[in-house]
Amino acid sequence: MGLFDRLFGKKKQEETKHDEPVIEKEVVENTQEPKNEEETRETTELTEVSPKPVDLENVTDESVSKVIDIEREEVSKEIADGPVSKEKTISPERENVVVTDEKTVLSVTDEKAAEITDKEVNSEVSTIAKENVTDEDEEEIVIDIDALANIFTQSREETEKKYEQSLTLTRKTFSDGFNELFANFRTVDEEFFEELEETLIMSDVGVDLAMEVTEELRKEAKLINAKSTDDLRQLIIEKIVDKFDGEKLPTQLDIQPEGLSILLFVGVNGVGKTTTIGKLAARYKNEGKKVLLAAADTFRAGAIDQLVEWGNRSQVEVVTKPAGSDPAAVVFDALAKAKSENYDILLVDTAGRLQNKDNLMKELEKIGKVIKREVPDAPHETILALDATTGQNAIQQAKEFSAVTPITGIALTKLDGSAKGGIVLSIVQSLKIPVKLIGLGEKIDDLQDFDEEFFVRGLFKELL
């Protein structure tokens, strides 16, 4: 299923699902009141949960209580024998219980659990466990899945709302362009396709993608014998969205599970590179990681002071040298400190003098050699910061920086103040470089991991 069907076809699927008859589980009740505790235990054993896979959508409170009792006894034994592995095979009676470390039992009690990935659960469990478990506490903690799901759902909803608000100007550009196109044309002819191509280009999706989508629509229109432009309205958006989804580029930052992760940041002056580093440092600091910054942009006036200020805000250390120093020397000192003091994350700010590419290339090459000599598999990411408000100029910057150093990801800044958010589609399609970070505002927590589903939904939902 393509991205378009997953996002915009979901509503129809849900409506169909609600029309299907619901088959309720048969509930067997014991009408006789047990005479004593022994008889109660025997009755419970006779009516034990059958060893069948548990349907999360139909789990009852009664069955959950029984499973929790079983799980408490099992986990107590496992804790006594050693650490619990969350990948341990779980018996059929316990298939609705997820066992995690931190002496924690997570009971899955409703369908909300299906929406939570292992990574997200572990992150929330780790946070809650650290807040509630003391060294003296040797009992397992049963976490209410409803509370956990609510925390996760609220976080997702807040992030999606930020996307929608930040894409307001871009969404208006798309809507106005397409509404004008469909208002001016009632029939499908060659003039319509030429105007469609122009509309897509003006929406900053890129010339190549605009031409490709238009040509495919010409063929599709003949196949379905489209007579009116309304016949193609949804198809146009579907083509664009599925092109975006087709690349399958990794959007997550490559953070090492153990040891030092080194992220190198490049970009021309003024795009928000240093601000992006500061916000990312604050995020990792809040996650409990030990973060170090390296002020290797030693030639731009104020660059060092700006990074030091972000270090103060984020409460992380910054390695500096006097203005005009060798950038590679700053990186060398930062690497030595990061390795000797067991840092988790090293974020390196570099110069952005693209107008003097020869010097910039030599600096980045030297920095790269210093990093690889100390950490052979680093840098783990080379992130290019681009200003969304520059539109197609950002594409040119990306091409020029790619000629200087391999780029593994894009940090797209200032999206909230731009009507040119379509540049994301152009970057992914023409450069084959994933967007990994996106700036949705000026606050310290407005730097978000890029989420293609939130982006696409926020961009196109009003057009369908």
Side-chain angles (χ1 to χ4, degrees):
M1 181 184 293
L3 180 60
F4 182 89
D5 289 336
R6 295 203 305 272
L7 295 182
F8 302 110
K10 186 175 180 181
K11 185 175 181 181
K12 293 181 180 179
Q13 294 172 10
E14 289 178 348
E15 289 173 353
T16 302
K17 183 177 179 181
H18 289 314
D19 292 336
E20 296 175 354
V22 178
I23 302 175
E24 297 185 357
K25 286 187 174 182
E26 182 179 355
V27 181
V28 179
E29 296 183 355
N30 184 7
T31 57
Q32 295 182 352
E33 185 177 351
K35 297 180 179 179
N36 51 50
E37 182 177 350
E38 182 177 354
E39 185 176 346
T40 301
R41 185 165 55 254
E42 290 175 355
T43 304
T44 302
E45 290 174 356
L46 289 173
T47 59
E48 191 68 332
V49 180
S50 62
K52 296 180 180 179
V54 178
D55 184 352
L56 294 179
E57 294 185 355
N58 294 305
V59 174
T60 65
D61 292 339
E62 182 179 1
S63 64
V64 169
S65 298
K66 293 175 183 177
V67 172
I68 290 176
D69 290 338
I70 297 170
E71 189 59 33
R72 285 182 182 276
E73 182 178 352
E74 292 292 328
V75 173
S76 297
K77 293 178 182 178
E78 291 169 339
I79 290 174
D81 296 336
V84 179
S85 171
K86 77 182 184 67
E87 296 178 354
K88 179 182 178 72
T89 302
I90 301 174
S91 61
E93 300 95 324
R94 299 163 54 195
E95 284 192 1
N96 68 329
V97 176
V98 179
V99 182
T100 67
D101 52 11
E102 300 285 353
K103 302 178 183 179
T104 304
V105 180
L106 180 64
S107 300
V108 181
T109 60
D110 64 31
E111 68 277 10
K112 292 180 182 178
E115 301 175 2
I116 305 177
T117 65
D118 289 343
K119 181 178 180 182
E120 288 152 348
V121 167
N122 289 337
S123 175
E124 295 293 347
V125 167
S126 178
T127 301
I128 296 173
K130 288 177 182 177
E131 291 176 353
N132 294 282
V133 179
T134 64
D135 293 337
E136 294 79 20
D137 184 11
E138 296 181 355
E139 295 182 358
E140 66 272 18
I141 299 173
V142 179
I143 299 175
D144 185 353
I145 191 63
D146 287 324
L148 180 57
N150 286 337
I151 293 172
F152 171 66
T153 301
Q154 288 173 7
S155 177
R156 294 278 294 175
E157 289 175 350
E158 288 172 3
T159 301
E160 184 169 12
K161 189 174 181 179
K162 283 185 178 180
Y163 268 82
E164 290 182 7
Q165 292 173 344
S166 297
L167 287 168
T168 298
L169 294 176
T170 300
R171 186 165 57 247
K172 186 175 186 303
T173 298
F174 268 86
S175 298
D176 290 349
F178 280 106
N179 288 337
E180 183 178 350
L181 173 67
F182 287 109
N184 292 337
F185 291 88
R186 296 299 181 186
T187 59
V188 178
D189 54 21
E190 184 56 31
E191 188 178 356
F192 166 76
F193 287 115
E194 290 178 359
E195 190 66 25
L196 170 62
E197 184 176 306
E198 183 68 21
T199 300
L200 292 172
I201 292 173
M202 294 301 293
S203 299
D204 282 293
V205 301
V207 175
D208 293 339
L209 181 58
M211 293 176 64
E212 191 174 339
V213 168
T214 303
E215 184 58 32
E216 290 182 4
L217 281 167
R218 281 191 180 95
K219 297 176 181 178
E220 194 82 23
K222 291 180 181 179
L223 288 174
I224 65 175
N225 194 26
K227 299 297 183 182
S228 70
T229 56
D230 285 338
D231 295 336
L232 298 179
R233 177 183 288 269
Q234 178 171 313
L235 191 58
I236 293 170
I237 307 302
E238 184 175 350
K239 289 288 183 185
I240 297 173
V241 171
D242 286 345
K243 286 286 182 186
F244 181 58
D245 184 45
E247 297 301 331
K248 300 298 183 185
L249 299 173
T251 58
Q252 295 297 314
L253 291 172
D254 184 14
I255 302 300
Q256 304 303 295
E258 295 182 359
L260 179 64
S261 297
I262 302 174
L263 282 67
L264 193 67
F265 286 80
V266 300
V268 299
N269 298 334
V271 297
K273 172 167 52 72
T274 305
T275 299
T276 297
I277 294 171
K279 290 180 177 180
L280 197 60
R283 178 204 294 185
Y284 288 135
K285 172 73 173 180
N286 291 336
E287 291 178 0
K289 297 184 183 297
K290 194 174 182 180
V291 184
L292 183 65
L293 306 182
D297 186 356
T298 58
F299 295 101
R300 178 170 67 89
I304 297 174
D305 292 339
Q306 185 182 3
L307 194 64
V308 168
E309 175 59 29
W310 271 109
N312 292 334
R313 293 186 196 178
S314 308
Q315 297 183 338
V316 301
E317 289 194 61
V318 183
V319 175
T320 66
K321 279 185 175 295
S325 299
D326 182 4
V330 178
V331 175
F332 178 81
D333 289 350
L335 283 166
K337 182 178 180 64
K339 291 172 67 178
S340 65
E341 299 181 21
N342 297 319
Y343 278 83
D344 300 310
I345 307 283
L346 172 60
L347 306 178
V348 181
D349 191 10
T350 66
R353 303 189 316 280
L354 192 57
Q355 68 275 13
N356 194 343
K357 283 199 295 184
D358 291 339
N359 287 343
L360 178 61
M361 184 179 295
K362 291 176 182 178
E363 287 176 15
L364 291 176
E365 285 179 354
K366 192 174 180 181
I367 289 173
K369 288 178 181 178
V370 170
I371 292 175
K372 287 191 177 299
R373 186 171 66 232
E374 300 298 320
V375 184
D377 63 338
H380 302 100
E381 292 279 5
T382 300
I383 301 296
L384 172 62
L386 295 175
D387 184 344
T389 63
T390 61
Q392 290 300 311
N393 287 336
I395 296 293
Q396 187 59 34
Q397 290 177 22
K399 289 179 179 179
E400 293 186 15
F401 267 101
S402 295
V404 174
T405 185
I407 304 297
T408 61
I410 301 291
L412 192 65
T413 66
K414 309 177 187 179
L415 188 67
D416 57 311
S418 174
K420 300 178 181 292
I423 194 65
V424 173
L425 304 171
S426 185
I427 289 171
V428 172
Q429 184 67 19
S430 62
L431 300 179
K432 306 296 188 282
I433 300 175
V435 177
K436 295 195 172 184
L437 295 168
I438 194 165
L440 301 178
E442 297 181 358
K443 296 179 181 178
I444 199 167
D445 61 346
D446 283 339
L447 180 70
Q448 298 284 334
D449 291 330
F450 179 69
D451 188 305
E452 64 179 16
E453 294 192 0
F454 286 166
F455 177 81
V456 169
R457 191 182 290 119
L459 192 60
F460 294 114
K461 68 174 187 177
E462 292 181 2
L463 292 174
L464 296 171

